[in-house]
Amino acid sequence: MGAAESTPGASHAVGYHVVQVQPHSPGARAGLVSFFDFIVAANNTPLGDEDDTFKRILTDNVDKPVTLLVYNSRAEKTRETVLTPTQKWNGDGLVGISIRFCELASVNELVWHVLDVYPRSPAVDAGLEARSDYIVGTPDQQFTDGEDFFTYVELNMRREIRFYVYSSATDAVRLVAITPNDQWGGHGCLGADIGYGYLHRIPHKPPTGAAATAPVVDVSEAAATAERRLHPLMMPAGAQAPAQAAAAAAETPTAPPPATAAVAAAPAVAAAA
């Protein structure tokens, strides 16, 4: 199914991000990996532009093998695999994957880490798991920076929204529905602390038998990250926004720091063919 791997070059700067792979689908049989895989070429045709090229290749080769060149961001290698588009399986689409076109370098940065989940909260109702869950996108719009996530949540207060969530416990991506509610009676509008920044990216996959490791940073970078973690939308009622907290701390050096709150970024998704 695969071929020799190689280190990716500059030509792999963009591609189709595989956000979700449906079980028992043609994409699953081809060995495509949710979140970490990027399709950069199909049948020797580079996929360097967001157009109909990939869709056309798939629809022109129903029930025929299509050779994909796939970059894996976890292994930092490319590989070849064979995908056979077909309607002859019990699922949606020809290949059973959700994809989005994007720059490869940006994906690992757009991740929101679920740090804590509060009882009887919207996050609990949605099935979010503390520490092991990472919000990596939504099928309904594309995020390009950390603030897009919070704007999206705020604009959909008390309305159901969907997120793709990667679990480090299961090493899989699932679709989660959650309803932000600033009146649920507890912490923030989601009922979860969410971290964003270098310290909160998905851990690198270790060699077999070794433990997963988070990024290693110095104290100054950790402090800078901590400053960016607070966001008014995710803070408990009555807590101060980051700028207000900084001003208060300057006036009263002995005042306790504001409570840890939520932040993190993720990708958005287009439907697969």
Side-chain angles (χ1 to χ4, degrees):
M1 173 132 12
E5 296 181 345
S6 63
T7 302
S11 60
H12 300 146
V14 297
Y16 284 94
H17 184 204
V18 179
V19 179
Q20 190 176 41
V21 180
Q22 297 180 41
H24 314 298
S25 66
R29 290 196 291 269
L32 294 176
V33 179
S34 297
F35 188 74
F36 298 104
D37 272 355
F38 298 81
I39 301 169
V40 296
N43 282 351
N44 295 317
T45 301
L47 301 174
D49 296 300
E50 188 175 10
D51 53 26
D52 292 334
T53 300
F54 186 40
K55 181 178 180 180
R56 176 173 45 78
I57 291 173
L58 295 177
T59 55
D60 288 350
N61 290 278
V62 175
D63 296 322
K64 301 176 184 177
V66 174
T67 300
L68 303 180
L69 185 63
V70 179
Y71 169 68
N72 184 276
S73 63
R74 174 175 276 183
E76 298 184 346
K77 298 286 183 66
T78 56
R79 70 184 189 278
E80 283 189 352
T81 190
V82 175
L83 174 69
T84 303
T86 183
Q87 297 281 8
K88 301 172 184 176
W89 72 285
N90 297 323
D92 298 326
L94 291 175
V95 292
I97 61 176
S98 296
I99 57 175
R100 73 181 187 101
F101 188 83
C102 65
E103 294 182 3
L104 276 59
S106 67
V107 170
N108 289 335
E109 300 174 4
L110 296 175
V111 174
W112 291 265
H113 186 195
V114 179
L115 299 174
D116 292 297
V117 174
Y118 294 89
R120 300 179 295 278
S121 67
V124 166
D125 294 340
L128 291 178
E129 297 289 339
R131 305 294 168 175
S132 60
D133 275 354
Y134 297 78
I135 299 170
V136 297
T138 171
D140 303 311
Q141 93 172 44
Q142 180 151 343
F143 297 145
T144 58
D145 61 41
E147 286 300 313
D148 288 350
F149 171 81
F150 300 106
T151 300
Y152 181 67
V153 170
E154 188 170 20
L155 290 175
N156 288 280
M157 197 66 63
R158 294 180 289 282
R159 289 188 292 187
E160 184 179 274
I161 54 179
R162 300 177 299 166
F163 290 121
Y164 286 107
V165 177
Y166 168 79
S167 169
S168 61
T170 63
D171 197 26
V173 174
R174 67 189 189 278
L175 189 62
V176 169
I178 188 169
T179 303
N181 185 353
D182 53 0
Q183 298 178 2
W184 73 273
H187 182 97
C189 64
L190 298 181
D193 291 341
I194 302 178
Y196 173 66
Y198 189 77
L199 292 175
H200 303 291
R201 296 179 189 173
I202 294 173
H204 296 294
K205 186 176 183 180
T208 303
T213 58
V216 177
V217 295
D218 60 26
V219 174
S220 59
E221 184 169 2
T225 303
E227 288 179 3
R228 298 187 316 166
R229 292 179 61 210
L230 294 178
H231 190 283
L233 189 62
M234 300 295 167
M235 294 170 66
Q240 293 174 307
Q244 295 170 324
E251 295 175 4
T252 311
T254 57
T260 300
V263 182
V269 182

